[in-house]
């Protein structure tokens, strides 16, 4: 996932997983900066951002902040409504684009996210229920860079939510406990609950499910991802790779009445 010389950009949310990941990588000697994205969610974004700021300030770390309403002229709720998406879909699209762009603009070698075993098993269940091979292929814990994408890694995929929470307690890391209010009704949470119910009756199910996928099925849709990358070209609006005339992020920004995407002022420290 990482080499000692890599400069990593950590996708920081203010929650336990991303802050635990940042702390772990620093403890292991890696060069790691953080990027927090303010989503404009009333009563939630500002507190979560403050947890990220406090964590960075207490340790003398470099935290870059991007704010959707301030920097792009829309928030998640408005973006979702304008682009006919669920809030979680608009949120995920926005974050993926900005993390990719920041990593490339800042000269980072890799983007690291705090996805844990519970997250990955739940997403995998949803993808399997729909047999979405392309999404399954992109669920591997290491996605190589190239074609306008940075390398992406998920170092915590073997750890459960309880384990990352326990880590934060032991390391005295204060984090945002409340779930995002816009996630209510998300199918992902339903899949999580279903797997947790199975896990109670058959401990180890989540790990076996996800590990079995990596060992036996992760390559099933690799050809679809390869075909997608062959058709990529730079988006005329922001330069991000896309197969469409305009990338999905630029379309969302335009429909939400936001400002055109811009370079993110970030440099690896």
């Amino acid at each position: 996932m990482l080499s000692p010389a890599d400069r990593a950009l950590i996708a920081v949310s203010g929650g336990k997983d991303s802050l635990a990941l940042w702390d772990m990588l620093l403890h292991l000697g890696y060069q790691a900066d953080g990027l927090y994205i303010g989503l404009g969610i009333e009563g939630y974004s500002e507190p979560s951002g403050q947890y990220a700021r406090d964590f960075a300030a207490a340790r003398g770390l470099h935290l870059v902040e991007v704010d959707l309403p301030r920097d792009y002229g829309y928030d998640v709720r408005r973006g979702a409504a304008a682009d006919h998406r669920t809030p979680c879909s608009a949120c995920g699209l926005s974050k993926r684009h900005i993390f990719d762009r920041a990593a490339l603009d800042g000269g980072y070698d890799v983007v690291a996210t705090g996805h844990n075993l519970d997250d990955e098993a739940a997403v995998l269940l949803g993808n399997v229920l729909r047999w979405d091979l392309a999404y399954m292929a992109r669920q591997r814990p290491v996605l190589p860079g190239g074609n306008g994408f940075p390398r992406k890694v998920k170092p915590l995929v073997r750890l459960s939510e309880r384990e990352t929470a326990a880590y934060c307690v032991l390391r005295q890391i204060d984090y945002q406990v409340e779930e995002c209010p816009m996630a209510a009704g998300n199918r992902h949470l339903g899949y999580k609950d279903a797997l947790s119910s199975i896990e109670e009756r058959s401990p180890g199910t989540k790990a076996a499910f996800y590990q079995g996928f990596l060992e036996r099925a992760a390559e099933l849709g690799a050809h679809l991802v390869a075909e997608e990358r062959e058709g990529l070209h730079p988006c005329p609006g922001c330069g991000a790779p896309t197969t469409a005339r305009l990338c999905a992020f630029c379309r969302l920004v335009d429909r939400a009445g936001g400002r055109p995407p811009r370079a993110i002022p970030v440099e690896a420290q």
Side-chain angles (χ1 to χ4, degrees), residues 7-32:
R7 292 179 296 183
L9 185 64
I10 314 300
V12 180
S13 67
K16 62 184 183 309
D17 301 311
S18 60
L19 295 182
L21 173 61
W22 199 0
D23 187 76
M24 289 177 193
L25 293 183
L26 292 168
H27 187 66
L28 291 170
Y30 291 102
Q31 304 173 62

Side-chain angles (χ1 to χ4, degrees), residues 135-255:
Y135 276 102
M136 289 168 66
R138 287 193 288 268
Q139 231 194 301
R140 290 173 294 178
V142 179
L143 295 177
N147 299 103
F149 294 104
R151 177 159 42 100
K152 299 175 186 176
V153 300
K154 304 172 185 177
L156 304 185
V157 291
R158 295 182 188 274
L159 300 180
S160 68
E161 287 187 347
R162 289 186 177 183
E163 288 172 308
T164 56
Y167 180 88
C168 287
V169 171
L170 293 172
R171 295 285 291 173
Q172 298 183 324
I173 297 172
D174 202 13
Y175 61 88
Q176 171 79 297
V177 176
E178 291 76 16
E179 294 284 349
C180 175
M182 301 194 77
N186 187 309
R187 286 183 299 181
H188 175 76
L189 296 180
Y191 298 144
K192 263 191 174 183
D193 290 341
L195 283 170
S196 293
S197 178
I198 297 172
E199 182 81 12
E200 288 181 8
R201 296 169 175 79
S202 182
T205 294
K206 292 178 186 178
F209 180 48
Y210 184 65
Q211 186 62 34
F213 159 72
L214 295 180
E215 293 174 355
R216 302 180 185 91
E219 296 297 326
L220 286 178
H223 65 288
L224 298 175
V225 176
E227 290 171 4
E228 285 180 359
R229 291 206 168 195
E230 288 179 1
L232 291 172
H233 61 83
C235 170
C238 67
T242 182
T243 57
R245 185 187 65 81
L246 201 64
C247 77
F249 179 73
C250 283
R251 292 199 302 270
L252 184 151
V253 173
D254 180 64
R255 291 168 182 170

Side-chain angles (χ1 to χ4, degrees), residues 1-113:
M1 287 191 175
L2 298 162
S3 73
D6 281 341
R7 292 179 296 183
L9 185 64
I10 314 300
V12 180
S13 67
K16 62 184 183 309
D17 301 311
S18 60
L19 295 182
L21 173 61
W22 199 0
D23 187 76
M24 289 177 193
L25 293 183
L26 292 168
H27 187 66
L28 291 170
Y30 291 102
Q31 304 173 62
D33 298 334
L35 172 60
Y36 172 79
I37 301 174
L39 302 168
I41 301 173
E42 186 176 356
Y44 179 80
S45 290
E46 180 54 35
S48 64
Q50 195 58 51
Y51 281 106
R53 295 181 204 108
D54 291 345
F55 178 90
R59 295 159 178 79
L61 305 176
H62 180 51
L63 176 69
V64 177
E65 291 193 55
V66 173
D67 187 77
L68 286 184
R70 180 193 67 208
D71 298 328
Y72 290 92
Y74 76 97
D75 58 32
V76 164
R77 188 184 299 277
R78 184 145 60 100
D83 206 32
H84 304 291
R85 293 172 175 267
T86 65
C88 290
S89 175
C91 175
L93 170 61
S94 300
K95 290 193 293 188
R96 285 191 299 272
H97 174 89
I98 293 171
F99 284 131
D100 286 356
R101 183 71 177 268
L104 295 172
D105 287 354
Y108 290 91
D109 299 295
V110 59
V111 173
T113 61

Side-chain angles (χ1 to χ4, degrees), residues 106-130:
Y108 290 91
D109 299 295
V110 59
V111 173
T113 61
H115 294 89
N116 59 47
L117 176 61
D118 298 74
D119 296 324
E120 292 301 296
V123 171
L124 178 59
L125 177 59
N127 288 336
V128 169
L129 290 174
R130 294 187 298 275

